[in-house]
Amino acid sequence: MPPGWESEPLPTMSHISPGIERVLEINRRALADPDEFWGKVASELYFAQRVGPAFERMDDPPFGRWFPRWKTNLSYNCLDRWIGTDLQHKVALHWEGEPGDRRTFTYLQLWKEVNRFASVLQDLGVGEGDRVTIYLPMIPEAIIAMLATVRLGAVHSVVFGGFATQALADRINDSKSKVLVTADGGWRRGKIVDLKGLVDPALLQTPTIERVVVVKRTGQPVEMDADRDRWYHEVAPTKETKVAPVMVEGPHPSFLLYTSGTTGRPKGACHSTAGYMVWLYYTTQAVFDLSPKDLFWCTADIGWVTGHSYITYGPALRGGTMLMYEGAPDFPSPDRWWELIERYGVSILYTSPTAIRGFMRRGDEGPKRHDLSSLRILGSVGEPINPEAWRWYYEHIGARRCPIVDTWWQTETGGIMIAPQLGLARYALKPGSATLPIAGVDAVVVDEQGRRVPPGERGFLTIQHPWPGEFTTLWGDPERFAQVYFSRFPGVYYAADFAMQDADGYFWLLGRADEVMKVAGHRISTTELEHILLLHPAVAESAVIGRSDAVKFEVPVACIILKPGVPPSSQLREELLLHVRTNMGPIAVPGQIYFVEKLPKTRSAKIMRRLIRDVVEERPLGDVTTLEDETSVEEAKRAYLELKSELERVPK
Ligand code: WTA
């Protein structure tokens, strides 16, 4: 390893390098005087007005507000700030489609495209505070539409292109969007994903949508509703058009991003403008050390928070160059990613442990065939990275030269919260640990009672002080916001993750503490999937759990009780899989469906998912004492044995 980098755990605090001291010191400073610290960071960005404090305490969740009376615009800071500078003709975005088509945008060109798109939205009546749902494949227009929306002071709600009809309709209805931006389709593994075909039935249920803007990507014929639908290329102005960026106050919402929780209804995490922007500006540099010299490739989809923060916003706020790729990692050849890194000279690669484990399975021949020497930093996000995958990534992709930043964060946190901070200091890494919190992140691992647990003990991760990137509410549901995140441990943010802090103060993230699954890095709610299954006429009841998986981390498994008189069959199973695919999307399709006659439930009819998980993973019954207060050990044991014998009986 390079000097200062060690792959094995440090034995004691006395070995902590000066780099760690620096990071801890910066963190302490940010917590001691958030107003001063973040005000200074923000002074590097453009604000049309700076009045009052950077941070203001509040009595209600989230207990703080950022830049409440400052005014700015996110698209201005990502684009206009570079116009007329040395960076204006620098490439902002290299894009490559799955079929191999390529597009490149300089900052000036991207700025022009965003203005064009904003003028179309404006003509369709989109103004400050209006919601725009964006449902697009991984094409430049996704970034352009997002930046155009925030330019108008409007609020985007991007729905992942891997979600399907019902999931899209539910998200549109919750946000009450008036415009939807979509495309005829996108490319995935050589096939067209028929986005417009998924949109049309969804729009039968969404009364608020007035207009649909359709970007032509694949060119296959699609139905266009003459009143409602507009081809983007037909309505976009041909002459250069400028749209003045609307300067909004710091807490003004910039976007909603629907995320999974523990009920069937997705939660619209609502992000601010200024706090979010400052968080992205800060973390992109602190963690990735990103500067205009870099070519940053974040492989996440734009429909997840990683895509929002580290494709659309973070790199542009730093004047970096991004690479965006439309298709599957292994199409048309398993070397696709390595070719891209070599061809473009990617310097920072940010991806998920699932992708890394997928490549690991194929061996190291692929990466060996390519010159990956442009890489200098590797990142990981979305799920815990196992030390084995960490080491493979370090060895075979980074050639033992590139430090790995394992970054822990969530949709709700806006940006990275716990990670090595290469832009600030170098210190020892430990495979599998996200290391130390970012400035201003007061991360504390607590027990059931909210007491700090000693080093080495597992507990719940909480964040005990507001931070700039923090979401401001759940769209239209402040009660749920307070209840889900701030009531379990009153006054502090509950992350719903298990974590452990070791003797050196390093954090180890140990998976979700609630009923949310992580499937190939995607956050999926067990209850939303149950709800979708219940929409099928044959299904009386369903219980979904995440089964551990060596590559994808988790895979959904459903236990289903059929309606009386409906016989189980393999044909019905196929039909249910298809039902999930077309209603919720391919990412949610269960790896296994079991037809059962009874589901293990507590006396108050709550499904005992932990118990189902034990049975499905063929483990002995785990600790039931904390399962449910109202369920006795005997009852749990009986339910376990019943389900076990049922699953053994049913054909797979
Ligand atoms: C998990 C993704 C371990 C965690 C940015 C969290 C991680 C959830 C890591 C949020 C990591 C994310 N190590 N676990 N480095 N990063 N997670 O909202 O369980 O899609 O709560 O945001 O992913 O998922 P989300």
Side-chain angles (χ1 to χ4, degrees):
M1 275 200 152
W5 294 98
E6 290 161 33
S7 69
E8 296 308 322
L10 296 170
T12 64
M13 290 293 279
S14 63
H15 286 72
I16 284 186
S17 59
I20 292 189
E21 260 320 309
R22 177 164 156 74
V23 168
L24 295 177
E25 168 52 27
I26 294 173
N27 191 322
R28 272 194 292 272
R29 257 201 291 136
L31 278 173
D33 193 347
D35 187 44
E36 211 265 337
F37 188 92
W38 296 108
K40 199 153 163 232
V41 174
S43 71
E44 294 167 23
L45 291 160
Y46 176 80
F47 283 82
Q49 171 184 306
R50 297 166 200 258
V51 175
F55 174 68
E56 199 172 78
R57 229 164 244 296
M58 289 197 315
D59 295 334
D60 298 317
F63 303 106
R65 283 203 294 187
W66 299 90
F67 311 99
R69 284 177 298 287
W70 296 36
K71 282 190 162 185
T72 189
N73 180 282
L74 197 43
S75 103
Y76 185 96
N77 277 288
C78 290
L79 301 169
D80 305 49
R81 206 154 52 92
W82 307 121
I83 306 307
T85 73
D86 289 354
L87 295 192
Q88 67 173 344
H89 299 305
K90 176 182 127 75
V91 174
L93 173 66
H94 287 292
W95 173 84
E96 185 152 330
E98 195 185 74
D101 43 341
R102 296 173 197 168
R103 292 164 77 187
T104 292
F105 299 80
T106 62
Y107 272 98
L108 185 68
Q109 288 166 330
L110 192 61
W111 174 79
K112 287 185 182 181
E113 289 301 323
V114 168
N115 274 280
R116 269 177 96 205
F117 212 110
S119 82
V120 169
L121 294 177
Q122 205 171 34
D123 290 348
L124 296 179
V126 174
E128 203 174 322
D130 288 336
R131 274 82 60 211
V132 174
T133 295
I134 300 174
Y135 182 60
L136 284 172
M138 286 287 282
I139 55 176
E141 282 75 9
I143 296 178
I144 293 166
M146 290 165 85
L147 286 164
T149 304
V150 297
R151 191 167 190 85
L152 298 171
V155 181
H156 59 69
S157 164
V158 180
V159 177
F160 173 51
F163 278 131
T165 300
Q166 193 61 44
L168 173 64
D170 291 345
R171 285 157 175 81
I172 291 176
N173 285 334
D174 192 87
S175 67
K176 299 195 175 59
S177 291
K178 68 193 228 190
V179 168
L180 170 69
V181 179
T182 188
D184 50 357
W187 290 100
R188 188 85 189 166
R189 291 218 158 77
K191 293 206 192 84
I192 288 177
V193 181
D194 179 15
L195 281 188
K196 187 66 169 50
L198 293 165
V199 161
D200 289 337
L203 293 191
L204 299 174
Q205 312 172 37
T206 56
T208 58
I209 294 287
E210 294 167 12
R211 290 282 181 271
V212 179
V213 179
V214 187
V215 176
K216 191 173 238 167
R217 160 71 188 125
T218 56
Q220 96 270 22
V222 293
E223 297 261 336
M224 293 290 280
D225 178 308
D227 290 335
R228 189 193 65 196
D229 302 350
R230 301 281 180 274
W231 284 109
Y232 176 64
H233 62 270
E234 287 178 4
V235 289
T238 42
K239 281 209 304 260
E240 194 174 321
T241 313
K242 283 194 193 135
V243 175
V246 176
M247 295 294 158
V248 294
E249 287 192 336
H252 181 81
S254 56
F255 67 88
L256 313 178
L257 183 53
Y258 284 89
T259 190
S260 298
T262 50
T263 74
R265 200 160 60 85
K267 306 178 283 193
C270 178
H271 280 279
S272 72
T273 296
Y276 175 76
M277 175 172 85
V278 167
W279 196 242
L280 267 299
Y281 177 74
Y282 184 81
T283 54
T284 302
Q285 194 276 330
V287 176
F288 297 109
D289 186 33
L290 187 139
S291 78
K293 295 192 294 294
D294 281 301
L295 205 166
F296 184 78
W297 183 18
C298 167
T299 69
D301 192 280
I302 203 85
W304 301 98
V305 74
T306 309
H308 281 56
S309 297
Y310 298 101
I311 296 179
T312 303
Y313 296 115
L317 286 167
R318 286 283 171 187
T321 300
M322 297 174 267
L323 172 64
M324 182 186 200
Y325 168 60
E326 178 187 31
D330 52 356
F331 194 88
S333 94
D335 283 12
R336 189 64 196 256
W337 275 23
W338 321 126
E339 274 166 29
L340 288 168
I341 291 173
E342 181 171 6
R343 175 142 32 85
Y344 290 96
V346 172
S347 61
I348 307 170
L349 173 67
Y350 191 30
T351 192
S352 68
T354 290
I356 299 161
R357 287 189 293 261
F359 287 120
M360 224 169 120
R361 287 217 154 169
R362 292 194 200 99
D364 55 3
E365 273 70 43
K368 254 199 211 138
R369 276 192 288 269
H370 297 272
D371 177 4
L372 306 181
S373 59
S374 59
L375 288 170
R376 68 182 190 95
I377 290 171
L378 302 174
S380 170
V381 62
E383 351 145 23
I385 180 164
N386 46 319
E388 195 195 349
W390 195 105
R391 289 203 175 86
W392 189 86
Y393 196 26
Y394 182 72
E395 195 124 326
H396 298 287
I397 307 305
R400 300 175 151 258
R401 285 182 301 105
C402 308
I404 293 181
V405 291
D406 174 12
T407 63
W408 177 86
W409 58 296
Q410 307 177 302
T411 304
E412 294 87 341
T413 71
I416 296 168
M417 299 288 278
I418 304 179
Q421 291 155 66
L422 305 178
L424 305 181
R426 302 254 150 162
Y427 54 88
L429 301 178
K430 305 183 192 187
S433 166
T435 75
L436 303 170
I438 305 285
V441 174
D442 190 10
V444 180
V445 182
V446 301
D447 65 12
E448 294 275 355
Q449 279 72 46
R451 290 176 304 226
R452 186 187 283 266
V453 301
E457 265 180 42
R458 183 175 108 138
F460 303 100
L461 181 63
T462 62
I463 313 291
Q464 310 226 338
H465 188 284
W467 66 98
E470 187 167 17
F471 66 147
T472 55
T473 189
L474 289 180
W475 187 250
D477 205 345
E479 291 82 33
R480 191 177 178 198
F481 173 66
Q483 192 263 324
V484 172
Y485 299 101
F486 298 94
S487 69
R488 171 127 195 203
F489 304 111
V492 305
Y493 174 77
Y494 170 56
D497 265 357
F498 289 119
M500 192 265 287
Q501 209 179 354
D502 68 18
D504 298 325
Y506 280 42
F507 283 81
W508 299 75
L509 283 307
L510 305 171
R512 297 284 304 189
D514 60 5
E515 283 153 2
V516 165
M517 296 177 282
K518 273 288 166 146
V519 181
H522 305 315
R523 178 164 162 185
I524 297 177
S525 149
T526 50
T527 37
E528 185 178 6
L529 181 47
E530 285 164 5
H531 165 81
I532 295 280
L533 283 163
L534 281 177
L535 297 177
H536 190 280
V539 177
E541 282 188 65
S542 73
V544 171
I545 56 119
R547 181 186 65 200
S548 306
D549 185 88
V551 175
K552 294 182 172 178
F553 192 61
E554 284 180 316
V555 169
V557 168
C559 295
I560 285 177
I561 303 182
L562 294 171
K563 292 229 175 102
V566 181
S569 68
S570 48
Q571 194 195 340
L572 181 56
R573 183 178 284 120
E574 290 306 314
E575 198 180 306
L576 287 169
L577 295 176
L578 186 66
H579 168 84
V580 173
R581 177 176 290 274
T582 50
N583 283 286
M584 188 153 172
I587 45 158
V589 173
Q592 179 68 266
I593 289 182
Y594 293 105
F595 295 119
V596 297
E597 272 159 22
K598 206 169 151 202
L599 288 171
K601 286 193 193 149
T602 65
R603 278 179 222 161
S604 64
K606 276 214 301 214
I607 296 169
M608 297 195 271
R609 287 201 185 72
R610 276 238 323 268
L611 184 150
I612 301 178
R613 211 175 154 149
D614 286 343
V615 176
V616 167
E617 294 187 342
E618 298 178 7
R619 262 199 314 252
L621 180 62
D623 177 15
V624 288
T625 49
T626 56
L627 199 59
E628 293 301 336
D629 301 341
E630 18 160 0
T631 305
S632 71
V633 177
E634 273 61 46
E635 280 173 312
K637 274 192 188 147
R638 201 174 327 120
Y640 173 88
L641 291 173
E642 264 175 27
L643 183 67
K644 188 162 180 276
S645 72
E646 268 214 83
L647 297 198
E648 279 163 1
R649 201 165 38 75
V650 290
K652 289 207 175 164

